[in-house]
Amino acid sequence: MDGLNNSVVSEFVLLGLSSSWETKVFLMLIFSSIYLGIILGNLFIFFLVIFDSHLHSPMYFLLANLSLIDVGLSSTTVPKMIRDLLNGYKIISFQSCMTQICFIHIMGGVEMVLLIAMAFDRYTAICKPLHYLNIMNPKICASFVIAGWVTGVIHAMSQFAFIINLPFCGPNEVDSFYCDCPRIIKLACTDGDKFEFIIAANMTMGTFFLLILSYIFILVTVWKRSSGDLSKAFVTLSAHITVVVLFFTPCMFLYVWPFPTSSIDKYLFIVDFAITPVLNPAIYTLQSKDKKVAIKRLGKQGHYVKFC
């Protein structure tokens, strides 16, 4: 990788979240608990969908894949952030930094496509209920997942190809707890302003507006068909809209203002890497009657096995 980039910088220093020892210990305990919740919660949803035949439907297939991606996205940053909280000197090699950027954008790209697929699934369920199973057939669902991975890889490689060719010859301190494009580009020994449009045109913006348009279309369609009663549509979409807002708000902040003067973006991105993944299982479970029933059914089976 060094052969591709004639940088003098061989490593970056991550400034992290805090300089206070007491705060670092507190944050380490909090994020360790959150990460454990992410792993247990999302894997529980993933295996529940796999092993409960009542949940073998397009919506839950996509949800299981989303849970798996949430685990992957969190794992790109949170474990190192927890480890670095107790380290006095937080460094990451140039190669590891580029690798982290690639994995973040692969997972992020897959999640964006899955959110689009889930929006399409809800549109089909609300607006074309009689044709739902024909439209959202297993082949289409698998195609969404494959498209997500292809999109994520292409998106990540385009970011990587751009950054790897930038010259890094001076400062190497990153005011964050992870590597990502805007912060790293800011350290390049070149005029970063001319690259702003590349980051601002990131797929994040297009995906977010596509999702917003899909919700508007669904609500308008339901409103026309139900004489203005949108309550059922809002109930059906509430969990998905909540997840979309949680996921895209930090992305919008970072990529609309690519080189912020404030360090607030690193705290906002904790929402993407830690808060949203740990909340997703709870959000979708509380909204889904089928999943509540599946959990109760699993509990009864465990109770039966225990006393047999």
Side-chain angles (χ1 to χ4, degrees), residues 23-197:
T23 304
K24 286 181 179 180
V25 173
F26 175 75
L27 290 175
M28 186 201 69
L29 295 174
I30 291 296
F31 286 116
S32 295
S33 300
I34 290 176
Y35 187 61
L36 181 63
I38 291 170
I39 299 297
L40 296 179
N42 284 286
L43 290 184
F44 175 76
I45 295 298
F46 179 76
F47 287 112
L48 183 66
V49 171
I50 289 178
F51 293 114
D52 193 314
S53 59
H54 298 83
L55 299 181
H56 291 178
S57 66
M59 179 177 69
Y60 293 114
F61 172 79
L62 295 172
L63 178 58
N65 279 275
L66 181 66
S67 295
L68 203 58
I69 291 302
D70 276 338
V71 172
L73 184 62
S74 296
S75 297
T76 59
T77 57
V78 178
K80 178 170 175 55
M81 178 180 68
I82 294 171
R83 186 171 65 252
D84 285 349
L85 282 169
L86 297 181
N87 291 337
Y89 192 61
K90 299 173 280 292
I91 63 172
I92 184 171
S93 68
F94 186 88
Q95 292 87 345
S96 296
C97 184
M98 296 300 107
T99 301
Q100 187 178 57
I101 289 175
C102 284
F103 277 103
I104 287 173
H105 285 276
I106 288 173
M107 297 297 174
V110 177
E111 180 143 350
M112 291 177 192
V113 174
L114 285 176
L115 290 173
I116 292 176
M118 294 174 78
F120 180 74
D121 172 82
R122 293 301 82 205
Y123 159 74
T124 307
I126 293 172
C127 301
K128 299 180 182 293
L130 298 179
H131 303 284
Y132 175 71
L133 292 179
N134 288 330
I135 296 174
M136 294 300 297
N137 58 67
K139 186 176 180 180
I140 291 296
C141 292
S143 297
F144 274 127
V145 175
I146 293 171
W149 281 100
V150 171
T151 301
V153 170
I154 293 174
H155 171 61
M157 290 302 103
S158 65
Q159 301 285 328
F160 175 78
F162 169 67
I163 294 178
I164 196 65
N165 289 309
L166 293 177
F168 296 95
C169 55
N172 68 338
E173 289 188 346
V174 182
D175 187 15
S176 187
F177 60 90
Y178 71 104
C179 288
D180 201 9
C181 299
R183 291 289 182 185
I184 299 302
I185 291 174
K186 190 176 182 180
L187 300 178
C189 301
T190 185
D191 182 10
D193 292 339
K194 66 182 180 180
F195 300 123
E196 286 195 22
F197 75 97

Side-chain angles (χ1 to χ4, degrees), residues 241-307:
I241 292 175
T242 302
V243 170
V244 167
V245 171
L246 286 173
F247 180 79
F248 279 99
T249 298
C251 294
M252 294 281 286
F253 183 90
L254 182 65
Y255 292 111
V256 173
W257 295 278
F259 305 117
T261 56
S262 171
S263 62
I264 192 173
D265 65 304
K266 65 182 177 183
Y267 297 101
L268 280 175
F269 261 78
I270 292 175
V271 176
D272 264 353
F273 294 123
I275 306 302
T276 302
V278 80
L279 288 180
N280 279 356
I283 292 171
Y284 281 110
T285 299
L286 291 174
Q287 191 267 346
S288 172
K289 293 181 180 178
D290 291 339
K291 202 174 303 95
K292 290 179 184 177
V293 172
I295 293 172
K296 289 180 180 178
R297 188 163 48 243
L298 182 65
K300 288 179 180 179
Q301 290 176 352
H303 182 77
Y304 176 77
V305 171
K306 180 179 179 182
F307 286 97

Side-chain angles (χ1 to χ4, degrees), residues 212-225:
I212 294 299
L213 289 175
S214 69
Y215 298 142
I216 293 173
F217 181 75
I218 291 171
L219 293 174
V220 169
T221 302
V222 174
W223 181 74
K224 289 181 179 179
R225 294 184 179 183

